[in-house]
Amino acid sequence: MRWGCHLPRTSWGSGLGRTVPLPDELRIQSSWPFKGVHHPLRPPRAFIRHHGNSADSAPPPGRHGQLFRSISATEAIQRHRRNLTEWFSRLPREERQFGPTFALDTVHVDPVIRESTPDDLLRPSTELATGHQRTQAELPPLALSQLFDPDACGRRVQTVVLYGTVGTGKSTLVRKMVLDWCYGRLPAFELLIPFSCEDLSSLGSTPASLCQLVTQRYTPLKEVLPLMNAAGSRLLFVLHGLERLNLDFRLAGTGLCSDPEEPGAPAAIMVNLLRKYMLPEASILVTTRPSAIGRIPSKYVGRYGEICGFSDTNLQKLYFQLRLNQPDCGYGAGGTGVSVTPAQRDNLIQMLSRNLEGHHQIAAACFLPSYCWLVCATLHFLHAPTSAGQTLTSIYTSFLRLNFNGETLDSTDPSNLSLMSYAARTMGKLAYEGVSSRKTYFSEEDVRGCLEAGIKTEEEFQLLQIFRRDALRFFLAPCVEPGHLGTFVFTESLLEEHLNLVFIGLAKRTMGLNQGYPEVLELFLAVGGYICLELNLGGLVVWKATPPPMLLFQVVPRVFGRMVSKSREAVAQAMVLEMFREEDYYNDDVLDQMGASILGVEGPRRHPDEPPEDEVFELFPMFMSGLLSAHNRAVLAQLGCPIKNLDALENAQAIKKKLGKMGRQVLPPSELLDHLFFHYEFQNQRFSAEVLGSLRQLNLAGVRMTPLKCTVVASVLGSGRHPLDEVNLASCQLDPAGLHTLMPVLLRARKLGLQLNNLGPEACRDLRDLLLHDQCQITTLRLSNNPLTAAGVGVLMDGLAGNTSVTHLSLLHTDLGDEGLELLAAQLDRNKQLQELNVAYNGAGDTVALALAKAARKHPSLELLHLYFNELSSEGRQVLRDLGGSGEGGARVVASLTEGTAVSEYWSVILSEVQRNLNSWDPVRVQRHLKLLLRDLEDSRGATLNPWRKAQLLRVESEVKTLLEQLGGSGH
């Protein structure tokens, strides 16, 4: 799985704000929430400009002075500004995830706009996916401040049409321009009136005058309507989303009308505005998709501008810097304070910048601001506090909703087909074929085959042409990777896996039996072999021709039900095999692979024996799980891609059946985390409890436990009830915040391994709470190789004093020193059930070690105390050996590899600890300790005449010398 390998060169300008269009925010409803809003206009925030902007505009010279000078008119416009600010500043939930201080004018990079001509617009495109390669060098860039400048012939420009494909940021551009005007950054215009063409189209042919349209939406402007005729170019109308409005510029279709108070159909009013027959001096800005440009005759347009996106990687970097530097809320899903530090943000930005410079495909994707949003949302998901219930699938479905919500393919088509639904059936089919054949590179023939399959009528061909112009570049981009030039890839590789599952869900919905007789008959003809088999099994006669309709209806549901069931089984089988497939040479978990791909770190390598085209689709199961959840299915339904509840239930049952078989296997740590991530995406505790009910060992050793991964594990396993025999979180880079998040899971563990992590004294407070919890079941607690120090062990002893379950505790190499061991010796009697205590390699001297050994001997239950690798002299080790041999009962003290003239029965325990930590411990210090132990062995061998003991001592000496050689030291 390579997140950033297949990305696009698409269009938009770097941002008058957010990169993703917000149709919900720009859809101006018939009743606007502006009435009664009387708050002072807030001061503008800091904002960054690039390539110039509309705020640079000065009032054009001319005969018009300030028109709205009366007190009532001025107050009305101020109320209008406040109302627009209130409405256009509102952010959808998908944006609020980036932090409480995020706002449109704090994350702003100006768009790159290239001026174009009518000839360029009407010239048929020969490119399959994008048209940016054609004449970019011939199209001069156009700054926002130049939109209404005189044209090359010196003529005044009154109407500007800005166009761009889906996802280029047209809605963001409008939002930012409106807010700029509200904050006084557009001094060229005294009054700005925005209209949503979707809102206007919803009125149909209901008569309304221009004044009525304005006052219905902007009540405060009643005071200034009489002045509109005299406003001239200082009045700006913004018509957003022209593709939603059917305009007819023929005089026979739309008669002339110059009176703003004369009622007419909203489309007719807009036609006369654009004709310059009504309010001929007013300025007009239109935004539209490319397919609708021709709805306005070019003679009525003064300038065309194409929104082209972040064509310079510096613009991409600037956007990421502004977006990722927004402070987050500081609270994770569990309510714990976990925020990304400024240093961590800077590191993310630097790594991402280097990747943009070195990997052309991700830079091509970030050419489209929508995908910049997706990159930021994914990085925020991976590294920042995760909102409760947010999943990777929800990010992708939200991404599609932000770009396609309410979008129809063609407003003039009576079918009113959802653009996302059309994309799911065409691009989804291509994605399905790609995943099925395990490939991510597609030829032009592959793409054409999916787009043109089944097209038979002129109307269908016209819809295809609209999709090609408006949305194809959103999904596909030419591949720029060496060796694959001339092919096409999905703009973002994970989108292929996501669309594949959407297509599967839609295919199942359209294959249902609630169709009419002709469809059932067609199905019968397609699967005649299965029906004949079913008839034979039923003891009936096999027909040579089509059976009568009544008998067909009796047979088909039973056969077709089996076919659909087999289809679900096949999908579930493919999903499970993909999730547990050992396809990578280093097989990292999918979350690490995503982060590595975005930030430019080399991800897992393919095994050299595998064929190079055998692509990996490890997120296919995750998206399958996520799309089964009710939330994501609801979002898809809003986009015109509904997946039925019954289909979701039956798919979930088929998957549970397969997971029940595969889930009982002992999985490698990274694969186990992928399994848990699958359940996290589903967000169904009952389903997870049934599938994971047999899980007894949670081994995630070596998995880098980020805050997100801790949230995943806690969310999936935290509410379970059966105990976990062992939870192994060794070498997971676990910190105190992660420990706190995982608390519900740790309470169910009997053996808990937390070795080799970043747990310091502050983590001991959570460990104390864990040990004192009335549900704690831990019997073995391994905390070795954590910087607990003496301060931490004092807190830990408070937990041990009230705990009744822990019998084995390892504090090996936890920086306790003399102070920490002295504290242990003084408080050891507070615990009554401990059986084994390991405090080796803690820098303790002879005096403190002896005090702890004496306390251990007096302990009622302690049987074994490990003290090797401390700063003990030969005399100190001998005293400890003598203490262990004096009298009966009490704990045995292990301080060396020898006991008198014999080998200690714990010698393998000591050397195995050294072997496990050879790469993490201080080599010089370990060498010194090993040499001391080697001297003990040699002395014991010289002091005994027993040949059996001598052989044992020689064997252990050999093991020690081998370890010394591995450390680069001498065995002599």
Side-chain angles (χ1 to χ4, degrees), residues 550-617:
M550 291 306 297
L551 191 54
L552 177 66
F553 276 114
Q554 294 173 5
V555 174
V556 169
R558 184 170 45 163
V559 179
F560 196 68
R562 291 190 180 186
M563 291 178 59
V564 172
S565 176
K566 290 179 179 179
S567 174
R568 292 191 178 97
E569 293 286 329
V571 172
Q573 179 72 12
M575 185 216 70
V576 172
L577 290 177
E578 195 70 42
M579 184 161 60
F580 297 124
R581 183 171 178 262
E582 294 281 352
E583 77 295 329
D584 295 328
Y585 197 46
Y586 286 126
N587 206 38
D588 290 343
D589 62 78
V590 293
L591 294 173
D592 275 351
Q593 290 182 54
M594 280 193 296
S597 179
I598 296 173
L599 298 175
V601 180
E602 287 299 327
R605 298 187 301 180
R606 182 184 288 113
H607 194 282
D609 296 335
E610 289 188 4
E613 296 301 321
D614 189 17
E615 298 290 350
V616 178
F617 295 98

Side-chain angles (χ1 to χ4, degrees), residues 62-338:
R63 62 183 182 275
H64 300 295
Q66 184 175 357
L67 296 169
F68 309 114
R69 282 184 279 187
S70 68
I71 295 177
S72 60
T74 302
E75 290 179 350
I77 291 179
Q78 283 301 104
R79 290 199 303 272
H80 179 56
R81 290 180 192 266
R82 286 194 293 267
N83 291 344
L84 288 181
T85 302
E86 175 70 20
W87 179 252
F88 282 89
S89 296
R90 294 181 180 183
L91 297 174
R93 183 179 57 84
E94 288 83 1
E95 292 296 354
R96 293 197 295 272
Q97 68 177 314
F98 290 105
T101 63
F102 174 80
L104 187 61
D105 49 352
T106 62
V107 182
H108 171 57
V109 183
D110 273 349
V112 173
I113 300 175
R114 294 191 180 275
E115 188 168 5
S116 56
T117 65
D119 292 338
D120 295 327
L121 302 176
L122 299 176
R123 184 183 300 123
S125 176
T126 57
E127 276 74 28
L128 178 66
T130 67
H132 277 293
Q133 294 91 347
R134 46 189 175 90
T135 55
Q136 273 201 356
E138 303 172 9
L139 303 176
L142 186 66
L144 293 179
S145 59
Q146 300 170 327
L147 289 180
F148 290 93
D149 284 356
D151 63 13
C153 299
R155 292 172 299 201
R156 185 157 61 97
V157 172
Q158 293 178 282
T159 302
V160 176
V161 174
L162 296 181
Y163 64 94
T165 59
V166 173
T168 53
K170 301 182 294 296
S171 299
T172 301
L173 172 63
V174 170
R175 284 165 54 86
K176 189 61 178 70
M177 290 190 72
V178 170
L179 288 176
D180 274 350
W181 179 79
C182 293
Y183 295 142
R185 299 175 191 153
L186 287 176
F189 304 105
E190 287 192 43
L191 179 60
L192 183 147
I193 302 177
F195 279 111
S196 164
C197 293
E198 180 187 7
D199 175 33
L200 296 176
S201 68
S202 68
L203 301 177
S205 58
T206 304
S209 68
L210 177 62
C211 291
Q212 288 174 330
L213 291 176
V214 172
T215 54
Q216 283 175 3
R217 286 149 184 80
Y218 310 108
T219 304
L221 293 185
K222 286 181 179 179
E223 302 286 340
V224 298
L225 286 180
L227 301 174
M228 283 200 308
N229 278 312
S233 62
R234 310 289 292 278
L235 169 63
L236 174 63
F237 286 97
V238 178
L239 307 181
H240 175 59
L242 184 73
E243 68 276 359
R244 304 293 189 93
L245 201 60
N246 298 325
L247 304 180
D248 187 354
F249 279 81
R250 299 172 302 163
L251 287 176
T254 303
L256 298 177
C257 175
S258 61
D259 185 0
E261 296 186 2
E262 181 176 335
I269 300 295
M270 295 303 116
V271 165
N272 281 294
L273 267 180
L274 292 166
R275 281 173 175 163
K276 293 303 180 183
Y277 199 76
M278 183 183 295
L279 302 180
E281 297 295 318
S283 301
I284 303 175
L285 177 68
V286 178
T287 67
T288 182
R289 299 201 313 240
S291 63
I293 296 175
R295 296 186 187 180
I296 306 177
S298 59
K299 64 181 179 180
Y300 298 127
V301 180
R303 175 169 286 123
Y304 293 96
E306 181 179 11
I307 308 173
C308 294
F310 299 142
S311 54
D312 186 349
T313 55
N314 289 325
L315 299 179
Q316 301 169 10
K317 293 178 186 178
L318 180 59
Y319 175 86
F320 288 127
Q321 182 178 1
L322 293 173
R323 171 77 66 157
L324 295 175
N325 270 326
Q326 294 297 308
D328 53 54
C329 299
Y331 289 92
T336 57
V338 184

